[in-house]
């Protein structure tokens, strides 16, 4: 079945550092890919998405490019802030109308001032 | 800004008891979902619901589980006879449309502890 693998955390960085959180997937068909973020005490919020190969999703300085050849959707940000500290989830929905999200385990990001 | 709400935030129950987890989706949304996350594991899809019936369910969603939209605002998940392994965070979500690119809006979750 479909699956998502993302790097284990916690990931600890200093403010203004460059961030990469790796995400790879296995899916049949043509999935849509998502990054969700969860701040403490809150629900999951959509951060960005990409629906076809080579699409780049971006939001709040974060970017991820849908790479079909490497089945990857790595999350990047050029300069992180303390307020970016959260848990980040990579996810996909399979093509063909199925709409349940398949999630990775989540990566806890800690940004130190 | 509209948001999905869930009650209670934490539910403690004895094994074998029935529990009902409640969600109020965003008011103009048509598609509703339940997910769960066992501590330290992945967020897992349970079920999706549209037009007063289940549209998709996972292998986890067995006969112990049921969902209902009892009125125009609430969406509930019932576990008939809880087991220890049902202890998890349960997330409700809703979306306006379906399909692979739709955005699902999540609630803050209900932490269920089965003793």
């Amino acid at each position: 079945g479909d699956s998502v693998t993302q790097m284990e955390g916690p990931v600890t960085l200093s403010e203004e550092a460059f961030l990469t959180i790796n995400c790879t997937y296995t899916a049949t068909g043509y999935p849509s890919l998502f990054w969700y973020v969860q701040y403490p005490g809150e629900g999951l919020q959509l951060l960005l998405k990409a629906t076809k190969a080579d699409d780049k999703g971006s939001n709040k300085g974060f970017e991820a490019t849908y790479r079909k050849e490497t089945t990857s959707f790595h999350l990047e940000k050029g300069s992180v802030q303390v307020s970016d500290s959260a848990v980040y989830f990579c996810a996909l929905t399979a093509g063909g109308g199925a709409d349940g999200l398949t999630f990775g385990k989540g990566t806890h990001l800690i940004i130190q001032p | 800004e509209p948001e999905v709400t869930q009650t209670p935030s934490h539910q403690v129950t004895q094994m074998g008891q029935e529990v009902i987890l409640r969600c109020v989706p965003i008011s103009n949304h048509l598609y509703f979902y339940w997910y769960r996350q066992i501590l330290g594991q992945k967020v897992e899809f349970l079920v999706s619901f549209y037009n007063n019936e289940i549209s998709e369910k996972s292998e986890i969603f067995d006969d112990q589980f049921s969902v209902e939209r009892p009125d125009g605002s609430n969406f509930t998940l019932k576990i008939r006879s809880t087991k220890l392994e049902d202890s998890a965070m349960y997330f409700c979500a809703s979306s306006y449309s379906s399909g692979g690119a739709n955005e699902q809006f999540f609630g803050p979750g209900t932490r269920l502890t089965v003793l």
Side-chain angles (χ1 to χ4, degrees):
Chain A
D2 299 340
S3 67
V4 174
T5 303
Q6 60 181 108
M7 58 194 297
E8 299 281 333
V11 173
T12 303
L13 295 173
S14 297
E15 206 166 18
E16 299 183 5
F18 184 86
L19 168 71
T20 300
I21 300 178
N22 290 335
C23 170
T24 57
Y25 67 89
T26 303
T28 54
Y30 302 94
S32 294
L33 302 174
F34 305 82
W35 277 100
Y36 277 82
V37 59
Q38 185 179 30
Y39 299 102
E42 299 183 15
L44 286 77
Q45 301 173 23
L46 180 65
L47 180 60
L48 54 84
K49 67 181 181 184
T51 58
K52 61 183 187 296
D54 300 325
D55 268 3
K56 179 186 283 187
S58 61
N59 186 25
K60 299 181 181 179
F62 291 90
E63 293 183 338
T65 302
Y66 189 142
R67 300 285 189 202
K68 191 177 177 187
E69 63 276 13
T70 54
T71 61
S72 65
F73 193 55
H74 303 322
L75 183 68
E76 297 182 334
K77 186 175 185 183
S79 177
V80 293
Q81 306 300 313
V82 172
S83 57
D84 293 327
S85 298
V87 181
Y88 292 81
F89 295 89
C90 186
L92 66 82
T93 54
D99 52 7
L101 287 158
T102 298
F103 283 91
K105 288 187 74 169
T107 302
H108 187 192
L109 176 66
I110 301 169
I111 307 300
Q112 296 177 333
Chain B
E1 187 174 327
E3 59 182 16
V4 176
T5 59
Q6 292 184 242
T7 55
S9 57
H10 191 190
Q11 172 90 47
V12 180
T13 190
Q14 296 291 323
M15 189 169 56
Q17 294 296 304
E18 175 184 286
V19 295
I20 298 176
L21 309 183
R22 302 182 190 279
C23 169
V24 179
I26 293 172
S27 62
N28 66 339
H29 283 186
L30 303 174
Y31 297 81
F32 314 110
Y33 312 84
W34 283 102
Y35 293 83
R36 78 173 186 190
Q37 184 180 29
I38 296 171
L39 188 63
Q41 298 188 23
K42 298 183 180 187
V43 176
E44 300 170 293
F45 168 73
L46 294 178
V47 66
S48 60
F49 190 85
Y50 169 71
N51 199 26
N52 280 319
E53 59 183 32
I54 291 172
S55 52
E56 185 187 8
K57 61 181 181 178
S58 71
E59 294 176 351
I60 303 167
F61 194 87
D62 61 21
D63 292 344
Q64 290 288 91
F65 292 91
S66 62
V67 289
E68 190 178 29
R69 187 152 164 82
D71 52 43
S73 59
N74 290 281
F75 179 51
T76 61
L77 174 69
K78 181 191 290 186
I79 308 175
R80 289 192 182 83
S81 178
T82 51
K83 306 169 191 164
L84 294 176
E85 54 264 35
D86 293 327
S87 294
M89 180 73 87
Y90 288 80
F91 294 104
C92 173
S94 69
S95 64
Y96 181 74
S97 61
S98 69
N102 80 90
E103 178 175 355
Q104 297 180 24
F105 292 79
F106 282 77
T110 292
R111 180 168 296 285
L112 176 65
T113 302
V114 182
L115 304 177

